[in-house]
Amino acid sequence: MPAALTTADARLLVSAGPRRGLRRLAGWTIFATGLLVVALNANLAPVLTCTEARPCGHDVLGAVAVGLVLTSLLLGWLLPWAAAAAAALGAAGQSWWDSRHPAEASPVGTRLLIAYAVVALACAWLATRRPRSEAVELWAGRTGSVTLPTLAEGPRTRPGLVRRVLGLLLIAAGAGLGWYATAHQQEMDAQQRTAQVVTTVVDGHVDEFTLRVRRTGGEPFTIPVLDVASYPVGSELRLAVNGQGLRQPLTEPYDGTGWHALAAGLVFVGGALWWRGRRRREELRAPLTGLHPASGVFVNWRGDLFAGDARTGDAPIASLDVLDYLPAASAATETRPTAPTPLDEDEDDDFDDDQEVGDLDTVEARVLYGAPVIGQLCVVADEQRHLVTVVRVVPVRSAASFTALADGAPPVPDAAAAPARSAPARSAPVPADRLALIPDAEVAAPPELVHRHHKPRLLGLLLTVSMPLALAEVIRLLPRTGAWIAAVAATVVCCFVGYRIWLRAAVAWNAGGVAITGIIGGFTAPWPEVTDITVEGDIVHVISDRHGAASVTAQAKRGGRTAESLRAGLDHARSRFTPTVAPPARPSASPPWALLLLAPVPVAILVAFNAFGHS
């Protein structure tokens, strides 16, 4: 049995991973930056005057560039590098288009697209990089490299298969749509060349993109145009018409390149999904080959990972997501100089999927191959059942604590490698003046009783929906199209921020520990792992050396629990720490259905304010 993974090493290794939430932050940064650049480009683009001598024709290259830029907005959350590549290709395509159409080019808009591509590349690098960790290297050097158990068969699952199949389907759909758009464009061009040319008079403007025209002695009808401002009421407009319903201005021939933009987006998303599925297959198979540091750990049936020197009542160091499991041809592994020892012939190396599973909190000894870093892929070997499991190390997601082993074995795989640890001490009692801030029922509550706090939901909804209205004066000055884009973008950003601050954040605690779903991040920890609780305005910060910091909002003055009262309640529970009481479960964030229903309200108010400002 390898040496036990000590609690001290485990805490250093778990915290050596990339910062949680960085990938999500990168996705929102890419989305917000791209949306702002698209909105600015729509308003900075030069006004084109379409004439019969110089009609506003279609351009496939420009449409593909626009499609790639819009696609990158959505890919930021899923595949940051694919989003960065789409933004870079879109900026390059727009630069090439500007060189071919200098009279219609927008130098400022092109520079903004290039800047957006640089931001997307930086976000992708920050979201996916794995910084070098000296703690992991030192631990791996002390532990030594070992070989994995010999596998009896290959992987049972096909990792990334769904992504690869979905990617191929999207590529096929995009290619088919592109072929259809090209064929339809050619058909419409042929109809326009053979159509009859008639002269009409502009009778009125239905909206920004629709004209009402009338032939001499005929009934009025409507046609779509790029901008009605180019066609004053009373002016003449020549149309290409035929018996198949064609009514196309000669100044604006049929343009179906919007379908080319959608096709380019589908092909790029499909290619990115296919590539990610292939990478996932390689990632899941990589831990099954080569040499890896090995350590003795404990795992329960919930998937919680405990250090090799864990004692009764200890909290898990991480949780494990099972990605694949395979039967092993050998039950034991040896260090690098020694070949693996084969199983006895009498032993059964078949894993029984239907065997009885014990209590979910019962732990069993395992061998962990790899460093238990958050986000890292490792291998867990069960020597008794000859099973090799590929897992991903994730943050702790349960309030389970270490209990006795199923077979009554000593709780340390290698007792000589596990130093004795003293029981944690309680913090100092809360002073009387701060104790008065806590409700009497909470002060006298039993240690195991769970207390909870979150911002009042109705107040959080009102605050969130009101945030975009602060930009009403700015949006009033924008043109109508820009106002729509700015109103939607401001509402999306404000709803995300408001949901995080006022609707998502919650905390639960008792004498065993605290569980917090913060504005950013969150964790569950027993009180000895909490190092400090601070207050900043109406925000309470709970700080842990192991899990980092998480914050939750309280009431500023009245109408609910203030930040000082919440802090006093947490400190009081911390002073009553009871090792036999498990920390509460982490508060779950409910879906923001009410916020989604109310989100159109500020958009409508801002657009109406803009319309009244231009009336």
Side-chain angles (χ1 to χ4, degrees), residues 315 396 398-399 508 510 512-516 523-530 542 544 546-547 577 582-584:
V396 178
S398 77
N510 60 10
V514 62
I516 181 171
F523 57 84
T524 299
W527 285 119
E529 296 182 5
V530 175
V542 181
S544 170
R546 175 182 171 187
H547 304 281
F577 172 64

Side-chain angles (χ1 to χ4, degrees), residues 521-599:
F523 57 84
T524 299
W527 285 119
E529 296 182 5
V530 175
T531 57
D532 197 9
I533 302 173
T534 61
V535 170
E536 183 179 356
D538 62 343
I539 299 179
V540 178
H541 306 283
V542 181
I543 303 171
S544 170
D545 286 340
R546 175 182 171 187
H547 304 281
S551 305
V552 64
T553 52
Q555 292 296 88
K557 294 291 184 182
R558 54 186 176 272
R561 190 157 190 175
T562 64
E564 288 295 341
S565 174
L566 179 58
R567 178 189 178 187
L570 295 173
D571 283 335
H572 176 63
R574 186 181 176 194
S575 67
R576 303 173 62 199
F577 172 64
T578 305
T580 57
V581 175
R586 182 172 165 183
S588 59
S590 58
W593 302 122
L595 185 60
L596 294 177
L597 293 175
L598 292 175

Side-chain angles (χ1 to χ4, degrees), residues 109-166:
T110 304
R111 293 189 184 98
L112 287 174
L113 286 177
I114 295 175
Y116 167 57
V118 172
V119 171
L121 287 170
C123 290
W125 179 75
L126 290 174
T128 57
R129 76 184 184 102
R130 290 195 171 274
R132 175 177 172 268
S133 174
E134 185 178 355
V136 175
E137 295 178 356
L138 292 176
W139 174 80
R142 293 197 316 267
T143 305
S145 300
V146 299
T147 57
L148 288 170
T150 304
L151 299 179
E153 61 183 58
R156 294 186 177 184
T157 61
R158 295 182 178 181
L161 178 62
V162 175
R163 287 186 176 91
R164 296 198 301 273
V165 172
L166 181 59

Side-chain angles (χ1 to χ4, degrees), residues 476-545:
R476 185 182 68 85
L477 303 176
L478 297 176
R480 185 170 299 178
T481 303
W484 269 100
I485 296 175
V488 173
T491 302
V492 169
V493 173
C494 290
C495 285
F496 172 75
V497 174
Y499 173 72
R500 284 278 179 170
I501 296 176
W502 294 307
L503 299 176
R504 178 182 185 269
V507 61
W509 69 96
N510 60 10
V514 62
I516 181 171
T517 300
I519 298 173
I520 297 179
F523 57 84
T524 299
W527 285 119
E529 296 182 5
V530 175
T531 57
D532 197 9
I533 302 173
T534 61
V535 170
E536 183 179 356
D538 62 343
I539 299 179
V540 178
H541 306 283
V542 181
I543 303 171
S544 170
D545 286 340

Side-chain angles (χ1 to χ4, degrees), residues 189-320:
D189 290 343
Q191 289 188 26
Q192 290 174 117
R193 286 193 296 267
T194 59
Q196 177 186 1
V197 178
V198 298
T199 301
T200 63
V201 177
V202 178
D203 195 40
H205 297 165
V206 178
D207 53 41
E208 288 184 276
F209 309 105
T210 307
L211 289 177
R212 184 172 60 252
V213 297
R214 181 196 302 270
R215 295 179 64 176
T216 303
E219 294 292 328
F221 56 91
T222 59
I223 57 171
V225 293
L226 295 177
D227 187 4
V228 297
S230 302
Y231 306 95
V233 176
S235 61
E236 292 186 349
L237 177 63
R238 297 210 302 167
L239 305 179
V241 298
N242 63 10
Q244 300 177 352
L246 177 67
R247 296 175 178 178
Q248 195 70 36
L250 298 184
T251 56
E252 299 180 12
Y254 175 80
D255 183 6
T257 51
W259 296 111
H260 288 96
L262 179 59
L266 290 175
V267 170
F268 194 88
V269 172
L273 283 175
W274 180 87
W275 176 81
R276 183 66 186 94
R278 185 173 181 179
R279 283 290 306 274
R280 179 169 175 80
R281 180 181 62 179
E282 296 173 355
E283 289 173 358
L284 293 184
R285 292 180 178 178
L288 299 174
T289 59
L291 300 170
H292 303 275
S295 56
V297 297
F298 293 108
V299 179
N300 65 12
W301 285 93
R302 295 180 187 272
D304 296 319
L305 178 66
F306 297 89
D309 63 347
R311 296 291 191 271
T312 301
D314 283 359
I317 59 174
S319 294
L320 303 176

